[in-house]
Amino acid sequence: MNDQGIEFQIIHEYFEKNAFYDHSVALGIGDDCAIINPTDNSQQVISVDTSLADRHFPADADAFDIAYRSLNVSLSDLAAMGADGKWFTLAITLPDFNKSWLQQFSQGLFTAAKNAEVQLIGGDTTKGPLSITVQVQGEIPMGQALKRSGAQLGDYIYVSGNLGDAGAGLTIYQQQKQQQNKTDTELLTAYLKPEPQLQLGNKLRNIASSCIDISDGLLADLGHILQASQVGAEIDLNTIPLSTALLNFTNRANALSYALTAGDDYKLCFTSAQEPEQLSSTQSDIDSVYCIGRITDKKELILTNQPENLQLTQVGFDHFS
Ligand code: ADP
Ligand code: MG
């Protein structure tokens, strides 16, 4: 902002006032840096994501949803590592000083923050085209982080929920752009309000051999696991979980295409030596995950049971394509 007074008013009114801290925060918003006390024998897990208007979210979406989504997509990376969210910083660029927009943004931000128990400890506020950068920091007991590189021959491949809903939600959002009251809320919500699967990630620490969050589509993200682990996979397309809402919206081949390539679902894809029955046993207490295939040593990704009319135009979302 040009006007320093407005900048500090924004920081205080919409960010500092709502911030909450536990004993791990020695110094929060207000000084040149934040100071945190990490837990003994833990490793710090850090990730940053930028969300740009009309690139990563529709610029005319509700400010609540923009904030909620921006924080949650960053937290999803912590979930994929099996880490617990602890702290975050927010670098926001705003086109103007719009009080009601900022009020809603603040509400969405702190709703997501409270859900995940992550604490806003600092940031930066500037004027320009709307852009939101969230850096998240979490913790994990020493050596327990889930990487992309651990998949082993014979491992089962799992996804943690329905795929494709968010991709269809984006299509619906674009189709209904002019409409005030948008319909098909379930798919729209999947796109606008993704939920980071932090509790599942935590439970997977001693169970998954590799893990990733599905931000760019199953094929692209599973591809990262295969590449990092130097293995291949065979996926049975009949086992990909598709919601009733998605199958009501489009035919099965299109639904599969959304599931495989559209992205934005933020479910986890992980591999494990444990069979599906073992996973849902009371001991590991992991439900709502779906086994979709196995890891092979063929160094390629094979899709079985492809419907004849399935067209995969691209393998996933690539920012530079
Ligand atoms: P500096 O000049 O040291 O960079 P700033 O004037 O940018 O400090 O910010 C003042 C304080 O407000 C700092 O503690 C900074 O971390 C915090 N802050 C600035 N913008 C935000 C924001 N959008 N969200 C949370 N904290 C913020
Ligand atoms: Mg600054």
Side-chain angles (χ1 to χ4, degrees):
M1 306 267 140
N2 302 334
D3 188 337
Q4 269 228 328
I6 296 181
E7 178 187 333
F8 290 118
Q9 195 184 332
I10 292 174
I11 295 169
H12 179 70
E13 195 62 30
Y14 304 101
F15 302 115
E16 193 175 8
K17 244 168 83 172
N18 296 328
F20 52 90
Y21 298 126
D22 67 15
H23 60 271
S24 72
V25 179
L27 188 59
I29 294 171
D31 212 309
D32 295 312
C33 289
I35 306 176
I36 52 167
N37 303 317
T39 308
D40 286 349
N41 295 317
S42 73
Q43 285 180 305
Q44 305 287 301
V45 181
I46 301 170
S47 174
V48 64
D49 280 290
T50 295
S51 298
L52 294 177
D54 288 332
R55 182 79 185 151
H56 302 96
F57 61 86
D60 63 351
D62 289 343
F64 184 104
D65 293 351
I66 293 173
Y68 190 88
R69 186 174 196 283
S70 299
L71 177 53
N72 278 352
V73 300
S74 279
L75 290 171
S76 178
D77 285 319
L78 293 184
M81 302 302 287
D84 296 324
K86 291 290 293 182
W87 312 282
F88 72 106
T89 58
L90 168 72
I92 187 166
T93 304
L94 296 163
D96 50 25
F97 178 35
N98 178 334
K99 286 188 183 182
S100 74
W101 192 95
L102 273 161
Q103 187 66 38
Q104 283 186 53
F105 184 90
S106 179
Q107 275 174 18
L109 187 75
F110 285 99
T111 301
K114 279 178 195 139
N115 287 346
E117 296 177 50
V118 286
Q119 308 163 81
L120 179 63
I121 56 169
D124 197 27
T125 305
T126 52
K127 188 168 181 172
L130 181 60
S131 156
I132 296 144
T133 298
V134 176
Q135 187 199 45
V136 289
Q137 190 163 345
E139 291 190 321
I140 191 154
M142 191 66 70
Q144 288 189 26
L146 305 174
K147 300 180 204 152
R148 297 177 179 185
S149 55
Q152 303 283 332
L153 176 63
D155 278 355
Y156 296 86
I157 301 167
Y158 296 91
V159 292
S160 66
N162 292 326
L163 300 181
D165 286 3
L170 174 58
T171 302
I172 292 167
Y173 192 95
Q174 286 161 344
Q175 284 170 353
Q176 301 185 354
K177 218 168 169 37
Q178 310 312 333
Q179 269 168 253
Q180 260 302 323
N181 296 310
K182 300 187 170 57
T183 48
D184 227 322
T185 20
E186 197 177 323
L187 299 176
L188 274 175
T189 302
Y191 172 66
L192 293 170
K193 290 211 182 75
E195 297 295 337
Q197 301 203 295
L198 288 156
Q199 280 159 8
L200 175 64
N202 179 308
K203 283 184 192 173
L204 290 176
R205 282 175 191 171
N206 298 308
I207 289 167
S209 52
S210 71
C211 188
I212 193 167
D213 65 323
I214 306 175
S215 55
D216 295 338
L218 177 68
L219 295 187
D221 290 315
L222 175 59
H224 293 315
I225 286 185
L226 303 183
Q227 181 86 38
S229 303
Q230 290 291 296
V231 291
E234 192 169 313
I235 300 296
D236 177 356
L237 294 190
N238 284 339
T239 62
I240 304 287
L242 303 170
S243 73
T244 311
L246 180 60
L247 291 168
N248 285 338
F249 170 70
T250 189
N251 66 47
R252 192 168 166 277
N254 285 338
L256 271 175
S257 168
Y258 277 121
L260 297 175
T261 63
D264 289 323
D265 284 311
Y266 297 100
K267 301 288 190 287
L268 300 181
C269 173
F270 64 95
T271 58
S272 174
Q274 292 199 20
E275 295 171 9
E277 303 77 49
Q278 271 177 292
L279 270 192
S280 55
S281 72
T282 43
Q283 207 195 339
S284 53
D285 173 34
I286 287 173
D287 45 36
S288 312
V289 300
Y290 302 84
C291 179
I292 59 166
R294 300 289 290 270
I295 293 292
T296 68
D297 57 4
K298 293 213 191 76
K299 298 254 172 87
E300 60 185 332
L301 178 52
I302 296 166
L303 306 176
T304 63
N305 286 318
Q306 290 195 40
E308 252 164 44
N309 49 347
L310 176 69
Q311 284 179 343
L312 300 176
T313 46
Q314 54 173 41
V315 164
F317 187 79
D318 172 351
H319 291 269
F320 294 98
S321 65

